[in-house]
Amino acid sequence: MESRDSHNKDDTPSCSKEANSPTKDKLFDPSIDMLVNDFDDERTLEEEEALAAGEASDPSAELSNLEKEGNMPLDELLALYGYNTKEKDSSSESDEAEEDSHVMEQDPICELLVEKPKSPTPPRHSKLSLLYESNMEDSEDTRNLTSVSRLTDDEDEDGDSNIEDDDYQKFEGGLHNIMVGNDYQAQVPDGLTNYEQFPANDNEDKLLWNPDEIFSQDVEDFLIKTRELFKPPIPEGNVLRDDEEALYILKECDYKVEEALQQLIEKGSSSLKVTKRNDTKWSEEECRNFESGVRSFGKDFLQIQQNKVQTKTVGELVQFYYLWKKTERHDVFANKCRLEKKKYSFHPGFTDFMDRFLDDQDVENRNCLSGKALDS
Amino acid sequence: MATQPHSRKRVCYYYDSDIGNYYYGQGHPMKPHRIRMTHNLLLNYGLYRKMEIYRPHKATAEEMTKFHSDDYIRFLRSIRPDNMAEYNKQMQRFNVGEDCPVFDGLYEFCQLSAGGSVAAAVKLNKQASEICINWGGGLHHAKKSEASGFCYVNDIVLGILELLKYHQRVLYIDIDVHHGDGVEEAFYTTDRVMTVSFHKYGEYFPGTGDLRDIGAGKGKYYAVNIPLRDGMDDEAYESIFVPIISKVMETFQPSAVVLQCGADSLTGDRLGCFNLTVKGHGKCVEFVKKYNLPFMMVGGGGYTIRNVSRAWTYETSVALGVEIANELPYNDYFEYFGPDFKLHISPSNMANQNTPEYLEKIKTRLFENLRMLPHAPGVQVQTIPDDAINEESDNEDKVDKDERLPQKDLDKRIAPENEFSDSEDEGEGGRRDNRSYKGRKRPRMEKTTENKEPEEKPKEEVKLEKSEESSKTNSDDTTTDTG
């Protein structure tokens, strides 16, 4: 229902409000004059809204609707109640669809659905505010418009939803208008300014790499050499990958390749903290505590951190989570959970990413990847 | 306009490796992790070494209050998951709690996101880079004193405000599936920023973005909204994006562009309802890039994270003018990209409810609006419109549509970022005091009207521009003063 509703509602946005009117099912087509003149279209709106509001409380409208439905051909009736509206809507420019939506708007059930949101109320000075006084205070108001199309389908195979990732329902809606006033606009100066000196924070933007300082061929040679020094954590493909740690060292050494390599050998790449990437190892115990934390608190990583894995930061938990969830270890974990919790029966197949991956990829890659996630 | 295909650009990229560690909460569709996934793909594609890489500073409260209200930023700085109970009232007032939850490190997250966009703008102002990318930015719903739609601090507005120090006119383009309401609202009454948003409209968050919302006061006609329906595909999108942006470039003639690359307009997005592929989405980047204007690219929405990182990786490669293979390289998050492990994605078979007629109608109407711009090509030599239209009364009537300049004059105006020339600054001395830059930490202007142009001087066009610019600004000044 909702998605059909939204289809019909968004039918020609420029005239969506007008479609509500039972008396005018003509396409509202504001001339440029009307567009320029705020007053005009808002008055029209006001009228329409008033009509629509009156209709909702008029029982005879309901009766006449029922009668109309009785005489309606089957396919139209189906369309009315949300079946195969897709086809209908796709031709929505046409009069037919226009009429369709018109009929639906009259339907009291639909009326309930559409009633509140009249959402894109015209900006600020609208006289609509008289009718919807309470709504105009938008920041205080509850947002009662939930909707909408495709929240659920294909529920996120990038897989953040494996563990009770509730469908996200609250997002759509809102009664916001573009507001005008000192409380809303940015202060835009009239003219230009020059940086007399560079902004104070300028030096705080930390340069990690500058390609203009060195020939790209030299960089590539350098990267190949570092790769030989340190076994890469994940398999090499055809593309020469960038090692941000090593490149940073190279930059710190003024782009002198030999010096950088020397430093890398001395320090060992794991000791570099510049980019903070994967620089903490996880013990088996931490892994287990993490999993038990997920079981107790879901993905409330703050709770998990405070109660289960105090040796890591919340950020590290999140980072770990995104690697862990694609591992075999996670699969085992999730399967166990699935048995424990009935809830999972609502989301069959949620943890099948790894299986699918197994089908498609050779075992070697997988071992390497999943091993890495846990060991690093 | 002067566009130039496939030029190599100096690209500057802002990223903090902490950004992926922030977590909005269980079940929340916004996942900063997607920025790390993008980063990881960039590394593994070997694109990282081709860009200048910065870890941005954390934006200070002072920087954020260049747009946001002091109260609001103070609140964001204080609120934590463990003290939420004390802030009930304020949470309601600032709309923090549901869509915009309080999570661990919330304020830092905002600082990083905003820091990147401000830093990017400074970089462009200094002409130290031609394209700046901050995938951690793009949070276009945040309002002056209110969080909205997963956005708390509007890094885009802050970035544009920074750009406005050096650029008379800045163009903002938004290809997120949601209306860019926060940015539009922030600049709703100014003619120095034009906001152009392509979005799903009708029973859809945030509910704004009607075709007829065109700006107010001085900013009338400087907000452009393209309301779309479900199912926009690559072809339809291009058919509306290209003509609209071309016309906007022609009439508004910005000297810098910000593109919000919200990836929830991709097919299969968890919250979106369009049907764009990575290629189609990236075409917008490609098209805007061709104008050779100082160019900032920021992230935004995008809730099917494997596709978000695909799109932003591809768009980084487009910015660089480097081709990358469709075969995804191995990377830390390789399994996320199954079963095909390709960069590019296919559209679904969903119906496109935007008929060519519908799009044509929108286009026609928007063109009519754009013709109301005082900058219509005809009048720009004697008046630089920005200030010329200060007198609200006559802004619409002033346009003389019959008076057009030949194309070559337009082309000259495109020369990037040279709005600040010696002569202009001199002419500006009197006006400076009018501006309210209260509480700014950085000293920079005010003291002298001598100009300090950035070290790296622009190309030849500067000279061309100068004389023209100066005459314009002078006339500006007079208009402003009388106004």
Side-chain angles (χ1 to χ4, degrees):
Chain A
M1 278 306 265
E2 276 185 15
S3 73
R4 182 201 51 167
D5 179 44
S6 86
H7 289 152
N8 120 42
K9 206 32 193 177
D10 82 78
D11 182 32
T12 3
S14 60
C15 65
S16 57
K17 293 119 195 161
E18 284 70 26
N20 289 346
S21 157
T23 52
K24 304 179 187 172
D25 51 1
K26 225 178 71 197
L27 199 69
F28 177 66
D29 195 1
S31 68
I32 192 67
D33 274 355
M34 293 165 97
L35 283 167
V36 172
N37 185 344
D38 291 335
F39 168 70
D40 193 29
D41 62 273
E42 286 177 11
R43 191 185 53 183
T44 316
L45 270 173
E46 190 186 352
E47 287 166 10
E48 308 290 2
E49 298 284 3
L51 277 168
E55 182 196 17
S57 56
D58 180 8
S60 69
E62 186 177 349
L63 285 177
S64 79
N65 275 329
L66 287 173
E67 194 182 342
K68 207 178 275 176
E69 280 167 20
N71 301 329
M72 206 176 274
L74 183 59
D75 53 348
E76 260 185 70
L77 197 63
L78 281 172
L80 179 57
Y81 283 102
Y83 298 93
N84 69 38
T85 44
K86 266 253 155 93
E87 292 81 353
K88 279 269 189 259
D89 284 344
S90 63
S91 63
S92 52
E93 268 305 320
S94 73
D95 292 346
E96 180 192 77
E98 202 46 50
E99 202 172 287
D100 245 335
S101 68
H102 162 71
V103 174
M104 285 193 285
E105 295 292 354
Q106 282 185 301
D107 184 308
I109 301 171
C110 294
E111 204 71 54
L112 277 177
L113 284 169
V114 249
E115 176 184 52
K116 204 58 183 172
K118 306 294 181 201
S119 60
T121 38
R124 63 248 136 79
H125 311 304
S126 165
K127 294 187 178 129
L128 268 178
S129 54
L130 300 174
L131 290 168
Y132 287 94
E133 260 168 2
S134 58
N135 292 352
M136 297 308 285
E137 294 294 322
D138 54 3
S139 57
E140 301 295 324
D141 209 36
T142 52
R143 303 167 152 228
N144 35 11
L145 196 158
T146 57
S147 97
V148 79
S149 37
R150 45 183 312 124
L151 286 179
T152 45
D153 28 298
D154 179 35
E155 192 7 62
D156 159 308
E157 274 168 75
D158 52 66
D160 199 27
S161 38
N162 327 30
I163 307 163
E164 306 165 41
D165 207 0
D166 332 317
D167 294 348
Y168 195 81
Q169 295 289 4
K170 292 185 195 110
F171 178 50
E172 310 296 341
L175 296 153
H176 292 275
N177 304 316
I178 299 298
M179 309 291 280
V180 173
N182 278 341
D183 290 344
Y184 304 100
Q185 270 71 52
Q187 281 192 14
V188 178
D190 283 336
L192 306 175
T193 309
N194 275 344
Y195 297 137
E196 192 166 276
Q197 60 192 54
F198 292 139
N201 58 43
D202 195 48
N203 298 325
E204 294 163 36
D205 298 320
K206 186 167 184 171
L207 178 67
L208 299 181
W209 173 247
N210 186 351
D212 297 337
E213 300 288 338
I214 183 171
F215 289 115
S216 59
Q217 189 55 50
D218 293 343
V219 183
E220 284 169 26
D221 293 345
F222 169 75
L223 285 169
I224 291 167
K225 278 179 196 148
T226 48
R227 192 172 60 184
E228 284 157 7
L229 282 174
F230 308 102
K231 246 175 79 187
I234 47 180
E236 255 333 290
N238 307 323
V239 196
L240 179 62
R241 84 160 56 92
D242 298 327
D243 180 338
E244 49 187 334
E245 313 285 350
L247 289 176
Y248 179 71
I249 294 293
L250 182 56
K251 180 245 159 195
E252 288 292 277
C253 297
D254 262 337
Y255 301 94
K256 291 176 191 127
V257 171
E258 289 310 319
E259 206 177 313
L261 285 172
Q262 196 54 42
Q263 274 211 28
L264 278 169
I265 292 165
E266 281 166 22
K267 290 184 180 173
S269 80
S270 60
S271 67
L272 311 174
K273 302 264 182 190
V274 200
T275 51
K276 300 182 203 161
R277 186 171 155 256
N278 288 347
D279 52 13
T280 48
K281 297 206 185 287
W282 279 65
S283 68
E284 172 58 30
E285 192 193 350
E286 285 171 324
C287 285
R288 240 181 287 126
N289 289 341
F290 174 82
E291 284 168 355
S292 121
V294 172
R295 205 163 318 178
S296 322
F297 305 107
K299 286 183 284 180
D300 188 335
F301 296 112
L302 183 59
Q303 287 282 340
I304 300 177
Q305 196 270 338
Q306 285 169 351
N307 296 293
K308 299 283 184 178
V309 200
Q310 281 149 359
T311 47
K312 299 283 180 215
T313 65
V314 178
E316 283 167 337
L317 295 190
V318 175
Q319 182 172 20
F320 179 76
Y321 164 74
Y322 280 111
L323 291 165
W324 166 80
K325 68 190 269 190
K326 293 294 183 181
T327 58
E328 278 179 294
R329 182 174 179 130
H330 168 264
D331 254 19
V332 174
F333 169 83
N335 277 323
K336 231 188 269 171
C337 285
R338 181 154 34 191
L339 292 177
E340 287 166 17
K341 295 194 183 179
K342 210 175 150 200
K343 241 185 178 171
Y344 279 97
S345 58
F346 294 123
H347 300 290
F350 252 26
T351 52
D352 279 348
F353 310 107
M354 205 49 168
D355 295 340
R356 193 169 58 193
F357 179 65
L358 289 182
D359 295 341
D360 294 343
Q361 287 297 304
D362 54 301
V363 179
E364 198 181 289
N365 292 341
R366 173 191 23 109
N367 284 342
C368 196
L369 283 159
S370 54
K372 180 208 170 227
L374 292 174
D375 299 337
S376 62
Chain B
M1 294 199 57
T3 61
Q4 182 184 322
H6 297 302
S7 47
R8 278 288 156 95
K9 296 284 188 182
R10 277 180 300 168
V11 177
C12 193
Y13 170 87
Y14 292 84
Y15 175 76
D16 189 300
S17 49
D18 282 342
I19 196 109
N21 290 345
Y22 298 97
Y23 192 78
Y24 272 63
Q26 173 145 340
H28 200 291
M30 176 60 111
K31 298 173 199 311
H33 174 64
R34 67 215 172 113
I35 302 160
R36 173 163 46 208
M37 284 173 72
T38 307
H39 182 76
N40 201 261
L41 272 179
L42 294 175
L43 281 168
N44 285 288
Y45 262 121
L47 293 173
Y48 180 96
R49 63 173 175 267
K50 298 186 164 65
M51 301 185 286
E52 201 173 329
I53 312 283
Y54 280 93
R55 186 192 306 155
H57 70 285
K58 287 182 175 154
T60 60
E62 196 181 353
E63 287 179 280
M64 295 183 194
T65 50
K66 291 278 174 337
F67 169 53
H68 294 287
S69 67
D70 295 359
D71 288 7
Y72 177 53
I73 295 300
R74 201 175 310 125
F75 163 77
L76 286 181
R77 200 164 48 175
S78 332
I79 188 89
R80 291 192 314 270
D82 59 348
N83 67 7
M84 272 163 63
E86 306 157 32
Y87 285 89
N88 246 323
K89 191 98 192 256
Q90 291 198 57
M91 282 175 64
Q92 272 202 354
R93 176 170 153 218
F94 297 125
N95 191 31
V96 166
E98 291 199 27
D99 283 356
C100 305
V102 177
F103 58 86
D104 191 56
L106 161 63
Y107 185 64
E108 279 181 353
F109 173 74
C110 297
Q111 286 184 297
L112 293 179
S113 158
S117 296
V118 172
V122 170
K123 188 87 175 170
L124 291 173
N125 281 348
K126 293 194 298 188
Q127 301 183 322
S129 181
E130 285 145 327
I131 302 178
C132 287
I133 301 176
N134 176 27
W135 295 130
L139 303 179
H140 62 168
H141 293 306
K143 305 283 164 43
K144 195 169 192 168
S145 298
E146 199 184 314
S148 172
F150 319 156
C151 308
Y152 306 84
V153 169
N154 201 313
D155 62 288
I156 307 173
V157 172
L158 296 173
I160 292 177
L161 284 173
E162 190 67 37
L163 285 172
L164 285 172
K165 290 176 181 169
Y166 272 66
H167 297 275
Q168 190 55 247
R169 287 178 302 281
V170 175
L171 172 62
Y172 170 72
I173 306 172
D174 188 319
I175 58 172
D176 196 282
V177 75
H178 300 99
H179 178 229
D181 58 338
V183 185
E184 179 178 293
E185 183 169 283
F187 300 113
Y188 207 62
T189 57
T190 180
D191 51 13
R192 292 190 61 196
V193 180
M194 179 177 279
T195 59
V196 181
S197 178
F198 298 80
H199 50 266
K200 152 82 177 174
Y201 180 77
E203 289 302 283
Y204 203 67
F205 187 89
T208 47
D210 192 294
L211 183 64
R212 290 165 294 175
D213 292 351
I214 56 174
K218 251 167 78 175
K220 194 168 183 182
Y221 305 115
Y222 291 86
V224 177
N225 283 302
I226 299 92
L228 301 167
R229 308 181 200 171
D230 289 11
M232 280 300 284
D233 55 31
D234 291 353
E235 197 188 346
Y237 208 88
E238 191 178 2
S239 80
I240 188 92
F241 186 85
V242 168
I244 297 279
I245 296 303
S246 305
K247 186 59 103 187
V248 162
M249 289 286 187
E250 186 187 316
T251 51
F252 181 60
Q253 301 186 357
S255 60
V257 191
V258 178
L259 177 63
Q260 196 265 19
C261 302
D264 44 9
S265 41
L266 291 173
T267 184
D269 187 83
R270 187 173 163 196
L271 298 182
C273 54
F274 285 176
N275 198 15
L276 298 182
T277 69
V278 167
K279 275 202 181 104
H281 200 263
K283 263 199 175 161
C284 300
V285 175
E286 211 175 325
F287 186 75
V288 175
K289 183 194 167 197
K290 283 185 186 164
Y291 285 92
N292 291 320
L293 294 166
F295 184 17
M296 187 193 311
M297 293 160 62
V298 293
Y303 307 99
T304 298
I305 59 178
R306 58 178 185 278
N307 290 343
V308 177
S309 46
R310 283 175 160 122
W312 291 351
T313 300
Y314 176 66
E315 282 159 18
T316 308
S317 81
V318 169
L320 277 163
V322 170
E323 288 204 11
I324 53 175
N326 190 25
E327 198 69 38
L328 286 172
Y330 291 118
N331 62 79
D332 288 356
Y333 306 101
F334 195 59
E335 297 92 330
Y336 286 66
F337 299 100
D340 58 315
F341 306 98
K342 296 282 195 290
L343 175 66
H344 289 289
I345 57 176
S346 308
S348 78
N349 62 358
M350 81 188 288
N352 182 3
Q353 293 178 32
N354 303 271
T355 61
E357 299 76 40
Y358 173 69
L359 295 174
E360 194 58 39
K361 241 163 70 185
I362 294 182
K363 203 169 72 186
T364 313
R365 203 161 303 163
L366 291 175
F367 277 13
E368 280 169 37
N369 285 353
L370 287 170
R371 277 173 50 194
M372 305 304 282
L373 285 185
H375 303 92
V379 277
Q380 38 128 357
V381 165
Q382 59 275 45
T383 32
I384 217 175
D386 318 280
D387 295 313
I389 55 154
N390 278 358
E391 299 99 336
E392 306 98 84
S393 51
D394 49 15
N395 54 354
E396 292 120 284
D397 324 318
K398 247 186 184 167
V399 201
D400 187 350
K401 288 173 206 120
D402 297 323
E403 199 182 313
R404 298 253 157 90
L405 282 183
Q407 184 66 30
K408 65 179 162 78
D409 287 334
L410 301 183
D411 289 343
K412 256 191 253 167
R413 284 281 307 115
I414 300 160
E417 69 236 298
N418 304 318
E419 304 274 342
F420 47 98
S421 58
D422 308 33
S423 37
E424 179 174 359
D425 280 333
E426 282 151 25
E428 241 184 351
R431 275 201 304 172
R432 297 213 151 160
D433 307 335
N434 302 343
R435 275 169 266 147
S436 48
Y437 275 102
K438 47 188 173 200
R440 107 176 18 254
K441 177 166 75 194
R442 319 175 205 155
R444 98 195 59 89
M445 27 138 234
E446 258 99 69
K447 276 212 193 108
T448 168
T449 53
E450 277 304 313
N451 112 294
K452 288 245 166 49
E453 288 194 29
E455 259 53 85
E456 284 179 89
K457 286 291 296 182
K459 316 106 213 189
E460 257 90 60
E461 288 126 302
V462 189
K463 299 276 177 286
L464 265 177
E465 276 284 301
K466 257 180 199 164
S467 53
E468 196 185 331
E469 260 326 308
S470 61
S471 66
K472 276 183 218 158
T473 11
N474 288 338
S475 68
D476 281 356
D477 282 324
T478 46
T479 357
T480 318
D481 294 338
T482 55

